[in-house]
Amino acid sequence: MSGEVAQTIVALSSAPGRGGVSLVRISGLQTAETLRALAKNAERMIASPRELVFSQIFEVTNSGDKQPLDYGMGVFFPGPGSFTGEDVAEVHLHGSPYLVRRFLESAVTLGVRLARPGEFTERAFLNGRIDLVQAEAVADLVHAETESQAFVARRQLEGQLSGVLLEIGEPLRDLLSEIEAYIDFPDEELDGLLVEGWRRRTIETRERIAKLLLTFESGRVLREGASVVIVGLPNAGKSSLLNALVGEERAIVTSIAGTTRDSIEEVLSFAGIPVRLWDTAGLVDDSSMRTPDEVELIGIQQSWKRARQADLVVFLYDPLSEVPDEQLLLLEQVRSFARRVLVVGNKADMQPVAVGASPTMQQQMQISAKTGASIEALKAAIAEMIVGEGGFRQGDLQISNLRHREALTQAEERIGDFLLSLDNGLPPEISALELRAALGSLEEIIGVTETEDLLGRIFSRFCIGK
Ligand SMILES: Nc1nc2c(ncn2[C@@H]2O[C@H](COP(=O)(O)OP(=O)(O)OP(=O)(O)O)[C@@H](O)[C@H]2O)c(=O)[nH]1
Ligand SMILES: [Mg+2]
């Protein structure tokens, strides 16, 4: 154990600021000793682990004097059966930044070090309590803002993804030991049938990896939220639609064309899927009858940019438009670059009379942003389009982390190289190298093989006290 890890650490684990209760966590060899110095009833906490004990709490001054600080609760979790695998204590103080600061300073006076972000979870990983995928899930759960994000993180924390990754690697591990046996006996001829078996088993594994990789797209949407951009002609009702979806008067609505200039963002959740919804300045093309001013022009440029980056463009169609041809032209333009387009006809309350309702119009649904008609149906349609064909179903195993995707892609590529080496009749020691690299990539995800750099990147994402 390095000196750093051997040190006892302390941090505020609840959110900083004033509140009902502040929770301070301590982990390491000196935990019991620190608890004895700072809590009057420490002995009772240590004698009955995992039980909350009421106690007077002390502070320790620089000169080593003990003084009353607060009344609170404390609990002791002996290692190795604790979260970090070390002795851990949690002390509940009254939720005051002053009390917390004095408590932390007292612990530091006693030789305890302030923890870095994520250091408790990092210790849990280093002590084998959880694997890397689970450690990342802890951070994801803390950051989860919607039901689906929490669901994916919880599954990952429970170890489902780790389990599947181990299972996928299993045939590769077996195969590697078989091939290595051949390396030890270089005179033996490689049997064609045997090689065929190796090939088949590896292809099966590669297919499983490919399937898992396919879940990344919907997984990413769950984690980061999909960006949904509302575009359309000026006055189509885009800002009215944003307001209807948000459920409050978020954007300015007027009957003046060109009201919205800056794009406006709102974060919402549709059917448990996080959505970053953008209202944009109405699009006008060169043939427009009205000439936008400089500010509006910049807004329009922004609209195009947002639409290009969107996961889904909602094209809000105005059946009452006086420039129906221009509107169809814009729709075609949007269709030419957007990944997914949902064409929504607005102002259904007006019962459009012929105007603009040309037969070429391809509205997928009709709503009224003004009365709120079919807004719920629109939310469902947006959610459905984001997660896409055969995409996310609650219950499917997801990968949602870029690091996982990179490592799986690596593994997939190295398996391809392995198969190539078999095809080319290369010596087994060369094939074994490729296979070992593939396995290495898989194991890196869980943290069987890890580097300091990798750990630094993962745990820096955590908050202090976690
Ligand atoms: N009858 C009816 N009027 C609507 C509906 N939606 C919007 N409007 C009206 O259409 C006008 C323009 O609405 P906005 O929401 O400001 O339109 P916009 O697309 O954001 O316009 P710009 O920001 O100028 O691009 C306002 O007078 C709204 O009241 C609707 O569903 N029915
Ligand atoms: Mg607007």
Side-chain angles (χ1 to χ4, degrees), residues 16-32:
R18 224 168 290 282
V21 172
S22 285
L23 192 151
V24 178
R25 195 186 252 170
I26 307 169
S27 177
L29 287 171
Q30 254 183 284
T31 298

PDB file of all heavy atoms in Angstrom, residues 16-32:
ATOM      1  N   PRO A  16     -22.495  20.856   0.239  1.00  0.00           N
ATOM      2  CA  PRO A  16     -22.022  21.961   1.061  1.00  0.00           C
ATOM      3  C   PRO A  16     -23.123  23.000   1.281  1.00  0.00           C
ATOM      4  O   PRO A  16     -24.047  23.101   0.488  1.00  0.00           O
ATOM      5  CB  PRO A  16     -20.872  22.566   0.245  1.00  0.00           C
ATOM      6  CG  PRO A  16     -21.072  22.089  -1.148  1.00  0.00           C
ATOM      7  CD  PRO A  16     -21.842  20.804  -1.068  1.00  0.00           C
ATOM      8  N   GLY A  17     -23.006  23.739   2.347  1.00  0.00           N
ATOM      9  CA  GLY A  17     -23.990  24.804   2.620  1.00  0.00           C
ATOM     10  C   GLY A  17     -24.804  24.496   3.862  1.00  0.00           C
ATOM     11  O   GLY A  17     -24.560  23.503   4.557  1.00  0.00           O
ATOM     12  N   ARG A  18     -25.779  25.365   4.126  1.00  0.00           N
ATOM     13  CA  ARG A  18     -26.615  25.222   5.305  1.00  0.00           C
ATOM     14  C   ARG A  18     -27.706  24.192   5.032  1.00  0.00           C
ATOM     15  O   ARG A  18     -28.230  24.131   3.919  1.00  0.00           O
ATOM     16  CB  ARG A  18     -27.266  26.574   5.597  1.00  0.00           C
ATOM     17  CG  ARG A  18     -27.271  26.996   7.015  1.00  0.00           C
ATOM     18  CD  ARG A  18     -27.657  28.460   7.141  1.00  0.00           C
ATOM     19  NE  ARG A  18     -26.613  29.342   6.636  1.00  0.00           N
ATOM     20  CZ  ARG A  18     -25.504  29.637   7.305  1.00  0.00           C
ATOM     21  NH1 ARG A  18     -25.296  29.129   8.502  1.00  0.00           N
ATOM     22  NH2 ARG A  18     -24.590  30.433   6.780  1.00  0.00           N
ATOM     23  N   GLY A  19     -28.031  23.385   6.024  1.00  0.00           N
ATOM     24  CA  GLY A  19     -29.084  22.386   5.810  1.00  0.00           C
ATOM     25  C   GLY A  19     -29.442  21.727   7.114  1.00  0.00           C
ATOM     26  O   GLY A  19     -28.958  22.132   8.174  1.00  0.00           O
ATOM     27  N   GLY A  20     -30.294  20.720   7.055  1.00  0.00           N
ATOM     28  CA  GLY A  20     -30.719  20.036   8.266  1.00  0.00           C
ATOM     29  C   GLY A  20     -29.542  19.349   8.933  1.00  0.00           C
ATOM     30  O   GLY A  20     -29.273  19.529  10.118  1.00  0.00           O
ATOM     31  N   VAL A  21     -28.833  18.561   8.148  1.00  0.00           N
ATOM     32  CA  VAL A  21     -27.726  17.759   8.676  1.00  0.00           C
ATOM     33  C   VAL A  21     -26.563  17.813   7.696  1.00  0.00           C
ATOM     34  O   VAL A  21     -26.769  17.837   6.484  1.00  0.00           O
ATOM     35  CB  VAL A  21     -28.181  16.275   8.834  1.00  0.00           C
ATOM     36  CG1 VAL A  21     -27.002  15.387   9.201  1.00  0.00           C
ATOM     37  CG2 VAL A  21     -29.290  16.143   9.873  1.00  0.00           C
ATOM     38  N   SER A  22     -25.342  17.870   8.228  1.00  0.00           N
ATOM     39  CA  SER A  22     -24.151  17.712   7.384  1.00  0.00           C
ATOM     40  C   SER A  22     -23.491  16.393   7.750  1.00  0.00           C
ATOM     41  O   SER A  22     -23.351  16.071   8.932  1.00  0.00           O
ATOM     42  CB  SER A  22     -23.163  18.847   7.617  1.00  0.00           C
ATOM     43  OG  SER A  22     -23.626  20.012   6.992  1.00  0.00           O
ATOM     44  N   LEU A  23     -23.085  15.640   6.719  1.00  0.00           N
ATOM     45  CA  LEU A  23     -22.499  14.337   6.973  1.00  0.00           C
ATOM     46  C   LEU A  23     -21.016  14.359   6.613  1.00  0.00           C
ATOM     47  O   LEU A  23     -20.659  14.661   5.472  1.00  0.00           O
ATOM     48  CB  LEU A  23     -23.231  13.291   6.127  1.00  0.00           C
ATOM     49  CG  LEU A  23     -22.969  11.835   6.455  1.00  0.00           C
ATOM     50  CD1 LEU A  23     -24.197  11.009   6.107  1.00  0.00           C
ATOM     51  CD2 LEU A  23     -21.780  11.288   5.698  1.00  0.00           C
ATOM     52  N   VAL A  24     -20.188  14.056   7.601  1.00  0.00           N
ATOM     53  CA  VAL A  24     -18.745  14.028   7.359  1.00  0.00           C
ATOM     54  C   VAL A  24     -18.287  12.578   7.390  1.00  0.00           C
ATOM     55  O   VAL A  24     -18.726  11.802   8.246  1.00  0.00           O
ATOM     56  CB  VAL A  24     -17.992  14.841   8.439  1.00  0.00           C
ATOM     57  CG1 VAL A  24     -16.493  14.772   8.201  1.00  0.00           C
ATOM     58  CG2 VAL A  24     -18.460  16.285   8.430  1.00  0.00           C
ATOM     59  N   ARG A  25     -17.429  12.232   6.420  1.00  0.00           N
ATOM     60  CA  ARG A  25     -16.989  10.839   6.343  1.00  0.00           C
ATOM     61  C   ARG A  25     -15.477  10.742   6.555  1.00  0.00           C
ATOM     62  O   ARG A  25     -14.730  11.590   6.073  1.00  0.00           O
ATOM     63  CB  ARG A  25     -17.349  10.334   4.948  1.00  0.00           C
ATOM     64  CG  ARG A  25     -17.311   8.844   4.798  1.00  0.00           C
ATOM     65  CD  ARG A  25     -17.532   8.530   3.338  1.00  0.00           C
ATOM     66  NE  ARG A  25     -18.833   7.953   3.081  1.00  0.00           N
ATOM     67  CZ  ARG A  25     -19.295   7.791   1.852  1.00  0.00           C
ATOM     68  NH1 ARG A  25     -18.611   8.189   0.812  1.00  0.00           N
ATOM     69  NH2 ARG A  25     -20.466   7.228   1.661  1.00  0.00           N
ATOM     70  N   ILE A  26     -15.087   9.712   7.272  1.00  0.00           N
ATOM     71  CA  ILE A  26     -13.653   9.477   7.529  1.00  0.00           C
ATOM     72  C   ILE A  26     -13.347   8.053   7.081  1.00  0.00           C
ATOM     73  O   ILE A  26     -14.153   7.153   7.286  1.00  0.00           O
ATOM     74  CB  ILE A  26     -13.327   9.592   9.045  1.00  0.00           C
ATOM     75  CG1 ILE A  26     -13.835  10.926   9.612  1.00  0.00           C
ATOM     76  CG2 ILE A  26     -11.842   9.430   9.314  1.00  0.00           C
ATOM     77  CD1 ILE A  26     -13.777  10.990  11.138  1.00  0.00           C
ATOM     78  N   SER A  27     -12.186   7.831   6.450  1.00  0.00           N
ATOM     79  CA  SER A  27     -11.826   6.475   6.061  1.00  0.00           C
ATOM     80  C   SER A  27     -10.326   6.264   6.205  1.00  0.00           C
ATOM     81  O   SER A  27      -9.533   7.114   5.823  1.00  0.00           O
ATOM     82  CB  SER A  27     -12.243   6.210   4.608  1.00  0.00           C
ATOM     83  OG  SER A  27     -11.830   4.916   4.217  1.00  0.00           O
ATOM     84  N   GLY A  28      -9.951   5.113   6.768  1.00  0.00           N
ATOM     85  CA  GLY A  28      -8.527   4.783   6.896  1.00  0.00           C
ATOM     86  C   GLY A  28      -8.209   4.203   8.259  1.00  0.00           C
ATOM     87  O   GLY A  28      -9.079   4.074   9.125  1.00  0.00           O
ATOM     88  N   LEU A  29      -6.925   3.874   8.420  1.00  0.00           N
ATOM     89  CA  LEU A  29      -6.484   3.188   9.636  1.00  0.00           C
ATOM     90  C   LEU A  29      -6.723   3.994  10.913  1.00  0.00           C
ATOM     91  O   LEU A  29      -6.968   3.447  11.978  1.00  0.00           O
ATOM     92  CB  LEU A  29      -4.982   2.882   9.529  1.00  0.00           C
ATOM     93  CG  LEU A  29      -4.607   1.763   8.553  1.00  0.00           C
ATOM     94  CD1 LEU A  29      -3.105   1.705   8.361  1.00  0.00           C
ATOM     95  CD2 LEU A  29      -5.149   0.418   9.066  1.00  0.00           C
ATOM     96  N   GLN A  30      -6.644   5.325  10.775  1.00  0.00           N
ATOM     97  CA  GLN A  30      -6.761   6.189  11.959  1.00  0.00           C
ATOM     98  C   GLN A  30      -8.203   6.551  12.298  1.00  0.00           C
ATOM     99  O   GLN A  30      -8.439   7.440  13.111  1.00  0.00           O
ATOM    100  CB  GLN A  30      -6.053   7.504  11.644  1.00  0.00           C
ATOM    101  CG  GLN A  30      -4.709   7.709  12.321  1.00  0.00           C
ATOM    102  CD  GLN A  30      -4.208   9.090  11.933  1.00  0.00           C
ATOM    103  OE1 GLN A  30      -3.745   9.279  10.820  1.00  0.00           O
ATOM    104  NE2 GLN A  30      -4.313  10.054  12.840  1.00  0.00           N
ATOM    105  N   THR A  31      -9.163   5.897  11.649  1.00  0.00           N
ATOM    106  CA  THR A  31     -10.561   6.307  11.808  1.00  0.00           C
ATOM    107  C   THR A  31     -11.029   6.203  13.260  1.00  0.00           C
ATOM    108  O   THR A  31     -11.589   7.158  13.823  1.00  0.00           O
ATOM    109  CB  THR A  31     -11.472   5.461  10.893  1.00  0.00           C
ATOM    110  OG1 THR A  31     -11.079   5.700   9.551  1.00  0.00           O
ATOM    111  CG2 THR A  31     -12.931   5.828  11.061  1.00  0.00           C
ATOM    112  N   ALA A  32     -10.792   5.044  13.883  1.00  0.00           N
ATOM    113  CA  ALA A  32     -11.292   4.831  15.244  1.00  0.00           C
ATOM    114  C   ALA A  32     -10.665   5.846  16.201  1.00  0.00           C
ATOM    115  O   ALA A  32     -11.355   6.453  17.040  1.00  0.00           O
ATOM    116  CB  ALA A  32     -10.983   3.404  15.692  1.00  0.00           C
TER     117      ALA A  32
END
